[in-house]
């Protein structure tokens, strides 16, 4: 199981566009991937789930991947977060 | 052949076949089912067809309109691929033994409720629209009722619609949408404004039964007169084809004026600027050769939103306008909101007389926190161009002094925070008769004045401009109006200040000769009037217009007499 924590720096939090891209990235992998924020956890392959968390600026989130490609999954997701300006 | 009338909303002539844009009936009943797996199969089939359709639309939109517009449909596909949502719909069917329509709608309502409750996250909240759109599409396939997709139009059409919403106009491909007929609204409805900014001929407020126009009927739309002809005769087709040619010829002649400086025949240079209400209007202003922005109404920031716009949201909009205008002068008016506009997040009681009530600067001074946010955003944006700020509905000197002192306080705070702030010119919108009469006193307190004729005329004439029963009193060329306008302009000039005008009157082809004669320094109007006004001024000798203006304010006693003077003076100029 791979687990990583992030601090969201984007002023608008994880809004529609980066959320869509995160979901698309996560969906490429076999692993079960979850996004956790304020003790709520959702499937990162679910756009509705991700948006319903309403992650805002300065939020601390945790992403967990569990499966045969968990490491690659977390790396790819970290990259998308950075490219979208969500994290530093 | 049938002829109809409507309100002329956007100039030009179009001939093409009718395309009815109707809202399909997606109502359904909750049903109990026995075979859940068949129902789930039905659901998946509808989802698959919806996805295929969305991919086609996305592809078309990408080719015809660009990636921004196509992005919406990409988001729709992502929603339809959401494993969690599909599971919820599935389990609703299985556990509650209900039909797919009901289950789909229930799950989507649940999400919409969650999203709408996220009051601190505007971006997410707006996504409720996407969920609603996607649900509609799936329902349409479950029910076998086709959805009408403007993005799939691939031949030249006249759109026939009850009213247009921003989400369907965003899908219009200008190459194919040649004209618009709708039965809602007047010249300021969404359909009308949108068609003017896209320069598509349009008639709104259709008088008659829209259902008399069938899909595929040949339709002529004359957006300059409000005439509509369904299935015209050959002679009518020829006549309007010729009208179309003439219209285009006139447009291309006017296009020559785009990059010219405005000039009268004797070399006076008033500025022709544009009035804008949104960022979309800005492109039209630039496209039509505006020499500045004479009025940026900031209300859309407050109206198109479910919350008070933040300082950053406002700053970004103001900065964009200033940068796009590339150091040409931009006058931004602080918010004119209040009793006549319904802002759900602001608790403003409905009033019996909103035009005489709690609005504009009156509300700004009463709710300084909202005002300060806007002023800070403006001050920060000032570093990016040539900014002037204008206060609306100023009635007394004390109101103006208060507004200015709040602006100063915010300026000092920002400078202490080491934020770059450039000098800003301060002006008032002269639209209340009290301020107009006292213009010479206001001149000591401002850098410019801009006459807001729409309100000023209704206050002078005591006639609600929205009330048809008294619309005959809305008389821009009434000598009473002209005397007061001249008084304001003279007060400015006596104090070495420029005088501007930003009401409809500034773009009125009859009023322009008189205003040139009064020495008005800036005419600010809707973008579509700029080129014809510039062409008109080029033929006017300002010295003769001075004579005309003086005659109008000293000798005329009625609108009709003024009109006669104008015709006399301008005919001799041609």
């Amino acid at each position: 199981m791979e687990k990583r924590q992030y601090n969201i720096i984007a002023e608008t939090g994880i809004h529609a566009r980066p959320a869509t891209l995160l979901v698309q990235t996560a969906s490429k992998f076999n692993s079960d991937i979850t996004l956790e924020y304020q003790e709520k956890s959702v499937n990162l392959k679910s756009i509705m789930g991700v948006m319903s968390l309403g992650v805002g600026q300065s939020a601390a989130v945790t992403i967990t991947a569990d499966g045969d490609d968990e490491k690659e999954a977390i790396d790819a997701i970290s990259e998308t977060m950075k490219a979208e300006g969500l994290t530093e | 052949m049938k002829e109809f009338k409507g309100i002329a909303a956007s100039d030009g002539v179009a001939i093409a076949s009718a395309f009815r844009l109707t809202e399909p009936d997606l109502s359904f009943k909750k049903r109990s089912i026995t075979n859940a797996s068949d129902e789930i199969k039905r659901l998946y089939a509808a989802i698959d067809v919806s996805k295929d359709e969305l991919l086609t639309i996305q592809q078309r939109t990408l080719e015809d309109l660009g990636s921004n517009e196509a992005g919406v449909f990409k988001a729709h596909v992502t929603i339809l691929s959401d494993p969690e949502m599909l599971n919820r719909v599935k389990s609703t069917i299985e556990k509650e033994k209900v039909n797919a329509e009901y289950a789909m709608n229930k799950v989507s309502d649940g999400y919409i409720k969650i999203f709408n409750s996220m009051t601190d996250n505007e971006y997410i909240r707006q996504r409720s629209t996407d969920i609603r759109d996607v649900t509609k599409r799936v329902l349409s396939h479950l029910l076998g009722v086709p959805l009408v997709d403007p993005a799939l139009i691939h031949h030249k059409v006249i759109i026939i619609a009850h009213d247009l919403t921003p989400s369907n106009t965003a899908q219009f491909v200008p190459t194919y949408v040649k004209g618009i007929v709708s039965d809602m609204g007047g010249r300021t409805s969404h359909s009308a404004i949108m068609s003017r900014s896209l320069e598509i001929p349009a008639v709104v407020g259709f008088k008659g039964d829209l259902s008399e126009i069938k899909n595929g009927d040949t339709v002529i739309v004359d957006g300059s007169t409000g005439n509509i002809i369904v299935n015209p005769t050959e002679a009518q087709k020829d006549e309007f084809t010729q009208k179309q040619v003439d219209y285009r010829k006139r447009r291309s002649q006017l296009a020559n004026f785009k990059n010219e400086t405005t000039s009268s025949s004797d070399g006076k240079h008033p500025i022709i600027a544009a009035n804008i209400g949104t960022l979309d209007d800005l492109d039209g202003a630039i496209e039509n050769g505006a020499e500045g922005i004479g009025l940026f109404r900031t209300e859309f920031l407050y109206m198109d939103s479910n919350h008070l716009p933040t300082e950053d949201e406002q700053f970004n909009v103001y900065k964009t306008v200033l940068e796009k205008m590339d150091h040409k002068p931009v006058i931004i008016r602080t918010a004119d909101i209040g009793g006549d506009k319904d802002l759900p997040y602001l608790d403003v009681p409905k009033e019996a007389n909103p035009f005489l009530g709690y609005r504009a600067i009156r509300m700004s001074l009463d709710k300084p926190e909202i005002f300060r946010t806007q002023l800070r955003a403006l001050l920060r944006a000032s570093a990016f161009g040539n900014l002037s700020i204008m206060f609306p509905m100023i009635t007394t000197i004390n109101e103006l002094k208060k507004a200015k002192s709040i602006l100063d306080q915010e300026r000092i705070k920002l400078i202490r925070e080491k934020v770059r702030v450039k000098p800003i010119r301060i002006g008032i919108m002269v639209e209340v008769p009290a301020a107009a009469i006292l213009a010479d006193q206001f001149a000591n307190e401002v850098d410019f004045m801009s006459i807001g004729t729409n309100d000023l005329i209704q206050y002078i004439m005591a006639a609600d401009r929205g009330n048809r029963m008294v619309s005959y009193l809305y008389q821009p060329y009434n000598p009473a109006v002209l005397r007061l306008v001249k008084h304001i302009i003279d007060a400015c000039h006596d104090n070495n200040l420029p005088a501007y005008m930003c009401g409809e009157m500034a773009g009125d082809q009859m009023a322009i000769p008189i205003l040139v004669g009064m020495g008005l320094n800036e005419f600010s109007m809707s973008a579509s009037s700029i080129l014809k006004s510039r062409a008109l001024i080029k033929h006017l000798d300002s010295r003769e217009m001075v004579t005309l203006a003086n005659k109008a304010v000293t000798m005329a006693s009625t609108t009709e007499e003024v009109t006669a003077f104008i015709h006399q003076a301008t005919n001799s100029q041609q």
Side-chain angles (χ1 to χ4, degrees):
Chain A
M1 193 164 76
E2 283 284 319
K3 202 172 192 168
R4 213 172 284 180
Q5 290 203 337
Y6 306 86
N7 282 315
I8 303 301
I9 56 162
E11 194 194 338
T12 48
I14 304 185
H15 71 78
R17 192 186 120 93
T20 309
L21 289 172
L22 279 179
V23 169
Q24 279 169 353
T25 307
S27 302
K28 287 181 196 149
F29 298 93
N30 296 322
S31 300
D32 289 331
I33 306 171
T34 58
L35 168 68
E36 203 183 316
Y37 170 60
Q38 289 180 344
E39 287 160 22
K40 266 189 285 178
S41 170
V42 298
N43 183 348
L44 191 56
K45 295 177 186 175
S46 159
I47 184 71
M48 309 284 240
V50 173
M51 292 201 299
S52 66
L53 278 187
V55 179
Q57 194 181 15
S58 324
V61 300
T62 308
I63 293 179
T64 313
D66 191 3
D68 52 5
D69 49 8
E70 56 193 33
K71 176 121 191 32
E72 294 89 330
I74 288 278
D75 285 345
I77 290 163
S78 303
E79 216 162 278
T80 307
M81 299 258 265
K82 214 168 159 183
E84 283 299 299
L86 292 172
T87 59
E88 277 185 317
Chain B
M1 194 272 296
K2 274 185 200 143
E3 290 187 56
F4 298 95
K5 271 300 267 186
I7 299 165
S10 177
D11 280 354
V13 175
I15 309 176
S17 60
F19 183 97
R20 295 175 53 86
L21 198 62
T22 44
E23 276 291 313
D25 177 12
L26 297 178
S27 58
F28 61 87
K29 288 221 169 68
K30 182 181 178 181
R31 269 189 299 117
S32 300
I33 49 125
T34 44
N35 190 335
S37 74
D38 276 1
E39 198 60 17
I40 290 167
K41 258 186 222 151
R42 210 163 71 80
L43 170 74
Y44 279 144
I47 288 179
D48 284 344
V49 185
S50 301
K51 268 201 230 171
D52 284 349
E53 214 170 60
L54 283 167
L55 289 171
T56 314
I57 298 175
Q58 187 195 333
Q59 194 52 39
R60 285 270 177 85
T61 317
L62 187 64
E63 287 162 14
D64 293 332
L65 292 169
S67 62
N68 249 346
E69 287 78 1
V72 176
F73 300 107
K74 202 169 168 184
H76 287 187
V77 175
T78 320
I79 293 174
L80 277 185
S81 313
D82 190 316
E84 300 288 327
M85 184 188 76
L86 294 184
N87 273 336
R88 282 196 198 189
V89 183
K90 224 173 98 183
S91 74
T92 308
I93 295 175
E94 282 165 346
K95 286 188 190 133
E96 298 183 25
K97 299 275 183 214
V98 286
N99 52 332
E101 288 90 342
Y102 177 80
M104 178 75 201
N105 205 48
K106 185 181 174 189
V107 170
S108 117
D109 277 351
Y111 279 115
I112 290 170
K113 213 177 254 170
I114 298 176
F115 288 3
N116 281 344
S117 70
M118 294 163 73
T119 43
D120 54 343
N121 199 326
E122 175 63 16
Y123 292 89
I124 301 286
R125 209 168 46 222
Q126 282 173 357
R127 299 279 73 76
S128 323
T129 320
D130 290 339
I131 303 172
R132 205 161 272 138
D133 284 354
V134 166
T135 309
K136 267 193 194 171
R137 187 171 300 279
V138 175
L139 285 178
S140 84
H141 289 298
L142 283 170
L143 296 165
V145 183
L147 272 193
V148 184
D149 282 302
L152 293 179
I153 296 173
H154 237 56
H155 61 281
K156 294 178 180 171
V157 297
I158 307 278
I159 297 282
I160 314 289
H162 181 55
D163 194 14
L164 297 172
T165 62
S167 71
N168 50 43
T169 54
Q171 297 180 41
F172 284 174
V173 182
T175 334
Y176 300 121
V177 175
K178 290 291 156 197
I180 292 170
V181 177
S182 83
D183 65 354
M184 283 283 281
R187 266 189 75 85
T188 53
S189 66
H190 176 75
S191 311
I193 293 171
M194 195 276 323
S195 45
R196 282 199 294 274
S197 78
L198 290 175
E199 300 185 7
I200 297 174
V203 173
V204 300
F206 182 84
K207 292 185 187 71
D209 185 357
L210 265 192
S211 63
E212 287 192 51
I213 308 179
K214 307 278 179 241
N215 266 328
D217 279 352
T218 300
V219 176
I220 296 178
V221 177
D222 187 339
S224 319
T225 60
N227 286 325
I228 294 156
I229 305 176
V230 179
N231 293 327
T233 62
E234 284 305 312
Q236 282 173 321
K237 267 194 211 172
D238 290 345
E239 178 196 340
F240 280 90
T241 308
Q242 186 55 43
K243 265 188 129 174
Q244 209 172 20
V245 171
D246 294 345
Y247 179 76
R248 289 196 186 128
K249 206 154 114 197
R250 209 166 64 236
R251 294 269 321 171
S252 69
Q253 279 165 352
L254 284 178
N256 296 331
F257 286 95
K258 185 186 156 187
N259 297 316
E260 268 191 32
T261 322
T262 308
S263 172
S264 64
S265 67
D266 59 325
K268 285 272 192 296
H269 295 292
I271 289 176
I272 297 191
N275 295 342
I276 61 171
T278 63
L279 284 181
D280 290 341
D281 296 345
L282 184 59
D283 296 331
I286 295 169
E287 197 55 39
N288 283 287
E291 293 163 281
I293 300 297
L295 168 64
F296 178 21
R297 306 181 190 94
T298 52
E299 289 78 70
F300 88 98
L301 286 164
Y302 299 81
M303 310 281 293
D304 297 355
S305 178
N306 301 329
H307 65 289
L308 279 169
T310 65
E311 184 181 321
D312 279 347
E313 281 169 351
Q314 297 192 49
F315 165 75
N316 286 327
V317 170
Y318 304 150
K319 177 171 173 260
T320 306
V321 174
L322 288 162
E323 283 180 340
K324 278 208 178 172
M325 286 311 290
D326 190 22
H327 295 283
K328 292 194 181 90
V330 173
I331 302 177
I332 301 184
R333 180 178 75 183
T334 61
D336 183 357
I337 48 180
D340 62 326
K341 286 158 192 143
D342 187 24
L343 302 178
Y345 52 85
L346 251 191
D347 192 22
V348 181
K350 284 259 174 258
E351 300 179 349
N353 282 311
F355 280 113
L356 303 179
Y358 180 69
R359 58 178 273 220
I361 197 72
R362 301 168 179 185
M363 188 168 120
S364 297
L365 294 175
D366 183 54
K367 294 189 187 297
E369 58 304 337
I370 299 176
F371 191 41
R372 282 178 195 272
T373 304
Q374 183 168 33
L375 294 178
R376 282 178 66 89
L378 285 165
L379 286 159
R380 283 170 57 198
S382 68
F384 298 90
N386 180 351
L387 173 67
S388 302
I389 295 178
M390 169 161 81
F391 301 121
M393 280 291 281
I394 291 279
T395 310
T396 68
I397 295 272
N398 284 341
E399 283 174 337
L400 172 61
K401 283 185 174 165
K402 260 190 221 161
K404 280 171 64 181
S405 100
I406 295 174
L407 179 65
D408 269 338
Q409 291 162 17
E410 293 306 323
R411 188 202 318 270
I412 291 164
K413 276 192 227 164
L414 281 167
I415 291 170
R416 286 212 186 110
E417 293 165 28
K418 303 255 184 293
V419 177
R420 201 167 146 240
V421 175
K422 281 214 301 203
I424 299 171
R425 297 190 320 141
I426 307 298
I428 57 170
M429 187 139 162
V430 185
E431 50 193 331
V432 177
I437 293 164
L438 221 56
D440 52 319
Q441 293 298 323
F442 277 96
N444 300 320
E445 294 287 332
V446 294
D447 300 310
F448 66 91
M449 292 186 209
S450 186
I451 308 171
T453 50
N454 300 1
D455 277 340
L456 185 60
I457 294 171
Q458 76 167 349
Y459 294 141
I460 295 176
M461 307 298 284
D464 178 353
R465 63 183 151 112
N467 183 344
R468 262 198 232 170
M469 305 294 286
V470 294
S471 63
Y472 73 95
L473 286 171
Y474 190 82
Q475 300 179 0
Y477 334 123
N478 186 291
V481 172
L482 295 177
R483 282 190 192 186
L484 198 51
V485 166
K486 183 167 190 299
H487 170 73
I488 302 163
I489 297 175
D490 288 347
C492 286
H493 292 170
D494 289 346
N495 290 280
N496 295 317
L497 297 181
Y500 308 152
M501 181 177 286
C502 59
E504 282 295 315
M505 191 175 169
D508 183 323
Q509 305 293 294
M510 286 286 284
I512 286 173
I514 292 190
L515 296 170
V516 166
M518 291 181 182
L520 188 70
N521 303 89
E522 181 179 287
F523 296 70
S524 193
M525 57 190 73
S526 53
S528 57
S529 301
I530 292 177
L531 293 174
K532 59 182 178 194
S533 301
R534 189 169 288 153
L536 169 68
I537 291 177
K538 200 186 163 98
H539 292 293
L540 300 176
D541 185 316
S542 73
R543 292 160 298 190
E544 288 177 39
M545 295 307 118
V546 171
T547 313
L548 164 67
N550 287 336
K551 261 166 86 177
V553 294
T554 55
M555 293 163 63
S557 60
T558 61
T559 290
E560 292 70 24
E561 285 172 29
V562 172
T563 315
F565 284 145
I566 298 169
H567 283 307
Q568 231 174 42
T570 48
N571 284 340
S572 69
Q573 300 274 304
Q574 300 296 312

